[in-house]
Amino acid sequence: MEEVKDDKTYKGFVERLTLGITRVLENLPGVLDVRFVEKPPAEKRCLLSWEQKNNCALPEDLRDFYLTTDGFMLAWNTKLENEVVPVGCMMINNVAQLRPLIQSNVYSLPNAPTLADLDFDDDLEEPDGPEKPHFDSRSRIFELDPCNGNGKVCLVYKNCTSGVMAQQCEVWFLDRSLFWHYLTPSFTAYYRLMITHLGLPEWQYNFTPYGPSPQAKQWAALYQPLTFHGDSHPDAACEPLLNKLDPAEAFHGKAKPPTPKKKQAAQVPVSGGSTAKAQGVSGRHSVTKR
């Protein structure tokens, strides 16, 4: 009885933590191996140590998340022609992996460019959008999700001052070209956004001007048809893609071919008609003789 009770308690915990997405995925056609990795909660001293080390205060919602589970991992596969293909992956780094976004030691040469050298000028900032993060000391950036190498979801503290603990943070997406894209103002909003997109490949690129790859769009159209838009930035000059099938024309039945009309014999004038006919007959006879 205790094992049954513990099993029900665990399922209830997973249901609340994943907002019921595991049950939704299991009912989708073709979805296999929905795997949720259970992780123990982080200790408070680890959170305090992280804040002191990085001089940043964790937001209250992210702190509560880590006190519930030290990281998040949910993946699922699908089956295509008797072959299992990994598709969805939702991931949030644990406290130990919530590291600053710094340059790899491979490129730490004396004359090698740094990430700070790639900052764009302030003139290129979008006037209506939020201020973009910087790779220098003005921002403190920490990696939340490596996105399977397709970019990085980052926890960003902006307008930082040396020696002062940063308080406010946002969630941004850094694409593979090292360009920033705003996602959400809080961790809770990003968490719900991640669950809503089912962890589909490259779903973060829906918030970029160019969108995900064609293959990722196919996965989204298959498993997320109600919220998926093929082009989030359509060209005004382009005609929208509509279904131009006319059922009245397509399903009215096969039309019968018209009955061919019999050709009427041409009227031959009396004069000269017999002569031409005789010449045609004689011509055929002459060919036969040859």
Side-chain angles (χ1 to χ4, degrees):
M1 292 296 294
E2 293 182 357
E3 292 181 358
V4 174
K5 186 177 180 180
D6 292 341
D7 185 57
K8 290 183 178 180
T9 303
Y10 172 73
K11 288 184 177 179
F13 166 75
V14 174
E15 188 81 7
R16 293 191 302 271
L17 184 62
T18 62
L19 305 181
I21 200 62
T22 54
R23 182 162 36 88
V24 173
L25 288 170
E26 289 172 353
N27 293 328
L28 290 178
V31 173
L32 302 172
D33 304 331
V34 180
R35 305 179 309 279
F36 172 74
V37 180
E38 183 183 8
K39 298 184 178 182
E43 298 181 0
K44 289 186 178 181
R45 61 180 181 84
C46 295
L47 302 180
L48 293 174
S49 176
W50 186 93
E51 291 180 333
Q52 294 175 359
K53 178 181 178 181
N54 298 287
N55 204 17
C56 294
L58 286 172
E60 195 67 24
D61 53 356
L62 184 57
R63 178 188 294 272
D64 293 339
F65 172 81
Y66 280 131
L67 291 176
T68 304
T69 173
D70 191 9
F72 185 90
M73 176 64 180
L74 192 152
W76 54 276
N77 303 334
T78 189
K79 191 174 183 180
L80 293 177
E81 297 181 353
N82 299 324
E83 182 181 356
V84 178
V85 179
V87 179
C89 182
M90 311 177 205
M91 182 175 179
I92 295 175
N93 287 336
N94 55 28
V95 177
Q97 294 176 330
L98 191 64
R99 305 187 186 99
L101 186 70
I102 58 177
Q103 197 164 350
S104 173
N105 294 330
V106 177
Y107 302 100
S108 58
L109 300 176
N111 297 325
T114 62
L115 290 176
D117 296 330
L118 303 177
D119 263 328
F120 293 98
D121 296 331
D122 294 338
D123 297 338
L124 299 179
E125 295 279 352
E126 298 178 3
D128 299 333
E131 179 188 356
K132 294 185 182 299
H134 298 277
F135 293 112
D136 54 17
S137 59
R138 289 175 289 179
S139 301
R140 297 170 189 170
I141 306 168
F142 305 92
E143 181 181 321
L144 275 176
D145 182 3
C147 302
N148 291 326
N150 294 318
K152 294 180 184 296
V153 174
C154 299
L155 188 71
V156 177
Y157 294 82
K158 296 187 298 185
N159 302 320
C160 298
T161 305
S162 178
V164 179
M165 178 170 286
Q167 300 290 336
Q168 301 295 328
C169 63
E170 300 169 339
V171 180
W172 287 71
F173 175 61
L174 181 66
D175 64 18
R176 296 184 64 180
S177 62
L178 299 181
F179 196 79
W180 289 105
H181 307 278
Y182 177 76
L183 291 181
T184 59
S186 65
F187 171 77
T188 301
Y190 170 75
Y191 185 79
R192 291 181 178 273
L193 198 65
M194 177 186 67
I195 296 292
T196 303
H197 285 83
L198 307 179
L200 287 165
E202 304 177 18
W203 69 264
Q204 295 89 353
Y205 280 88
N206 290 317
F207 300 89
T208 66
Y210 28 87
S213 64
Q215 183 179 4
K217 290 181 180 179
Q218 290 179 352
W219 287 120
L222 180 62
Y223 287 108
Q224 203 186 21
L226 297 180
T227 57
F228 169 71
H229 300 279
D231 188 3
S232 57
H233 302 275
D235 190 357
C238 296
E239 184 177 339
L241 180 62
L242 300 176
N243 187 357
K244 298 182 179 181
L245 178 65
D246 187 359
E249 295 293 333
F251 308 122
H252 62 75
K254 187 175 181 181
K256 295 182 179 180
T259 306
K261 296 181 179 180
K262 294 182 179 180
K263 295 183 179 179
Q264 297 180 357
Q267 297 181 358
V268 181
V270 177
S271 60
S274 58
T275 307
K277 187 175 181 180
Q279 290 178 355
V281 173
S282 62
R284 287 195 293 269
H285 283 299
S286 61
V287 172
T288 305
K289 290 179 181 179
R290 291 179 185 174

